[in-house]
Amino acid sequence: MNDKLQLPHLDYAALAPMLILFGIACVGVLVEGFVPRRVRHSVQLTLALAGLVAALVMVIRQGDKPVITAASAVAIDKPGLFLSGAIIVLGIVALLLIGERTLEPGGAFVAQAAVTANTDRDREQAARGGGATEVFPLAMFALGGMLLFATANDLLTMFVALEVFSLPLYLLCALARRRRLLSQEAAMKYFLLGSFASAFFLFGIALVYGYAGQVDFKAISAAVHAGGKDDILLYVGLAMLAIGLLFKAAAVPFHVWTPDVYQGAPTPITALMAACTKVAAFGGLLRLVYVGFEGTKWTIQPVLGTIAVLTMIVGAILAVTQTDIKRLLAYSSIANAGYLLIGVISLNEKGLSSSLFYLVAYGFTVLAAFGVVTLVRDADGEATHLSRWAGLGRRSPLYASLFTFILLAFAGLPLTSGFTAKVGVFAAAVDGDQTWLVIAGVVSSAILAFPYLRVVVMMWLSEPAESTPAVSIPGAMTAAALVIGTVATLVLGVAPGALLEVTQNAGRFLS
């Protein structure tokens, strides 16, 4: 899986996408200090969108010129370029949701996070205060860290990137304008559990270093193939590394943070995490499995296979019991992490390319789903309890139809991106002699279809109640996000050939 290439010491063109995002984030911090509040939102939004577009242009310009740079710490290879492009494109759509201010005065974010929740001052700022604009530089730091994480070529760089994109997300989860205590509780849970996961990851680095004597993936792979060393250090270290990555991927049994955080965080941030963080987490996991520890695949496959089965089944069963739409989508995200693991542990090029396709397809669909969630609201904000969605199809048939299509895509029905993505990972598993995972995946999909169809039935076959909220007219940015997500979900189901070709060409790592 290695390509011959010259190793430049530092290739600024290859590193440009993440450097642009980090630079925009730093400029955004200065904007917070020196630009008047009345124009700060528009300046920050313009800067962030321009930075993401510029970063995407640099990814495209890099094209088919893979390099290992920054003293071998960063591998800008084909999968890395694809993952970077996916994170940036999904980040643009998520940023449209973050920047929306027409649905609620001041937007989805609190004006002053330091104000004590549920006090008179807090209720006053929830009603009138302009939303915090520091969310934009924080989001840029997070997206820049995700790019570095997906292209890291050694474990220390991967750990630094993990912290760079995690710390801003911990803060962003606490900035919801409504339900402040729930938002702060979500941020605290995410921070505490994320800190434990980071500690496991760091201990894993230490143990793997004790085994291989180095932390870059090429040296680790060489040490694994050479053998003759203490395998306990290798396998315990690998297990700890996996804990850190599987936590970010929301795989069982490291999933417990996901429902509470998805429910409590501001919905645009939930969308950002569900789409972009999942791409980054699985990008790191793919690089770890396919490059650094490829020689341990006979040990990795049964362990990760068991985790994949548990993730699919637990996510599907617990989704059935949910009464909140954001928690339902959280357990759906957990189950989808299990389907993605099927592609990861197939350990063949079809598994790699199908995982890349799945990440993009799921990202667009979940962004559209949370975009619809932001529209269903009453005077107290978003109405996320499922009982409030009864009869929504009669109140707003357009958006109920849109959400129905999204749920059918999650269920994996034909002519949607969900069907194409699942067929891809299942086919890769069959080719990799992992048919037992396909059987578990089919069973899980059948179970998971029930909560999706229950929501559809509630929207269309129930009479609207007095508590059924109206659907707000989306602003331009939310409408654009919904159109992009929905069209992508349809196109990747009806005509997926172009993206499939790109993912097949991206199926080779450098080391």
Side-chain angles (χ1 to χ4, degrees):
M1 282 192 170
N2 299 335
D3 289 347
K4 293 182 179 179
L5 72 164
Q6 294 180 346
L7 302 181
H9 177 65
L10 196 60
D11 189 328
Y12 288 104
L15 297 173
M18 63 186 75
L19 293 178
I20 289 171
L21 296 190
F22 287 135
I24 291 294
C26 293
V27 173
V29 173
L30 296 178
V31 169
E32 287 298 309
F34 297 103
V35 173
R37 180 176 289 273
R38 66 180 181 277
V39 297
R40 201 177 293 166
H41 177 268
S42 58
V43 172
Q44 292 280 32
L45 178 60
T46 302
L47 267 176
L49 287 174
L52 286 169
V53 171
L56 181 60
V57 170
M58 295 307 298
V59 169
I60 295 172
R61 284 191 61 186
Q62 186 66 22
D64 199 21
K65 296 179 288 185
V67 295
I68 294 178
T69 186
S72 300
V74 178
I76 309 297
D77 51 13
K78 291 181 180 179
L81 284 169
F82 181 88
L83 291 165
S84 296
I87 291 169
I88 292 169
V89 172
L90 295 173
I92 291 173
V93 180
L95 200 68
L96 294 175
L97 297 176
I98 292 172
E100 182 64 75
R101 280 195 163 185
T102 61
L103 296 174
E104 183 170 357
F109 301 95
V110 69
Q112 292 179 284
V115 175
T116 304
N118 290 344
T119 61
D120 291 338
R121 187 180 174 193
D122 181 47
R123 285 186 282 271
E124 181 180 353
Q125 73 164 351
R128 292 192 301 218
T133 52
E134 57 261 39
V135 296
F136 295 103
L138 287 173
M140 290 300 101
F141 276 122
L143 290 170
M146 292 175 195
L147 294 192
L148 181 59
F149 190 79
T151 55
N153 198 42
D154 65 57
L155 292 174
L156 278 181
T157 304
M158 188 172 278
F159 174 74
V160 171
L162 178 67
E163 295 307 298
V164 169
F165 83 76
S166 295
L167 292 174
L169 291 177
Y170 299 149
L171 293 173
L172 289 168
C173 287
L175 298 181
R177 175 178 293 273
R178 307 280 184 175
R179 302 177 183 177
R180 291 285 314 289
L181 287 178
L182 192 64
S183 176
Q184 292 170 357
E185 178 188 352
M188 183 59 68
K189 288 179 178 178
Y190 193 24
F191 169 69
L192 291 176
L193 293 175
S195 299
F196 280 114
S198 297
F200 275 108
F201 193 87
L202 195 56
F203 274 112
I205 294 174
L207 292 175
V208 171
Y209 178 78
Y211 174 83
Q214 297 187 57
V215 292
D216 64 280
F217 291 138
K218 184 177 181 180
I220 293 169
S221 179
V224 170
H225 284 288
K229 298 184 180 181
D230 189 352
D231 286 344
I232 293 178
L233 287 176
L234 172 65
Y235 290 116
V236 175
L238 178 57
M240 289 188 169
L241 293 174
I243 289 173
L245 292 175
L246 293 173
F247 172 86
K248 286 298 178 185
V252 174
F254 316 108
H255 68 291
V256 291
W257 61 275
T258 312
D260 291 340
V261 174
Y262 275 38
Q263 182 183 20
T267 300
I269 300 304
T270 305
L272 174 70
M273 293 169 58
C276 299
T277 304
K278 195 170 290 291
V279 175
F282 275 96
L285 186 61
L286 285 165
R287 193 172 296 276
L288 197 76
V289 172
Y290 279 74
V291 180
F293 296 89
E294 189 270 339
T296 64
K297 63 181 181 181
W298 302 115
T299 304
I300 289 176
Q301 279 184 318
V303 175
L304 287 184
T306 302
I307 291 174
V309 171
L310 289 174
T311 302
M312 291 184 290
I313 298 299
V314 170
I317 291 175
L318 293 182
V320 174
T321 66
Q322 300 309 305
T323 58
D324 185 276
I325 192 66
K326 291 176 74 174
R327 293 182 73 88
L328 171 59
L329 293 175
Y331 281 106
S332 169
S333 175
I334 292 168
N336 277 279
Y339 303 136
L340 276 160
L341 281 173
I342 294 177
V344 172
I345 60 182
S346 299
L347 292 176
N348 50 42
E349 288 197 8
K350 183 179 286 188
L352 175 56
S353 62
S354 64
S355 297
L356 296 177
F357 182 92
Y358 201 118
L359 287 168
V360 173
Y362 176 76
F364 280 117
T365 307
V366 80
L367 285 170
F370 282 110
V372 175
V373 171
T374 64
L375 300 179
V376 183
R377 56 176 58 241
D378 55 20
D380 296 324
E382 295 166 357
T384 59
H385 197 280
L386 287 182
S387 63
R388 307 288 304 280
W389 288 56
L392 196 67
R394 305 189 184 189
R395 288 275 179 92
S396 182
L398 174 62
Y399 294 105
S401 300
L402 189 65
F403 199 66
T404 299
F405 174 69
I406 292 168
L407 292 177
L408 295 179
F410 281 137
L413 266 67
L415 302 182
T416 67
S417 61
F419 174 79
T420 310
K422 285 183 180 178
V423 168
V425 294
F426 290 168
V430 171
D431 287 354
D433 296 324
Q434 303 294 315
T435 308
W436 65 289
L437 293 177
V438 177
I439 296 172
V442 171
V443 172
S444 168
S445 298
I447 298 172
L448 196 56
F450 174 78
Y452 297 146
L453 295 177
R454 182 181 62 175
V455 176
V456 172
V457 169
M458 288 180 62
M459 289 192 299
W460 291 104
L461 299 183
S462 298
E463 292 290 335
E466 291 184 2
S467 63
T468 301
V471 176
S472 301
I473 298 174
M477 288 185 287
T478 299
L482 285 173
V483 169
I484 293 170
T486 306
V487 169
T489 301
L490 178 62
V491 170
L492 294 180
V494 175
L499 184 60
L500 286 173
E501 183 178 352
V502 173
T503 56
Q504 288 165 4
N505 293 334
R508 177 168 293 183
F509 283 105
L510 295 178
S511 60

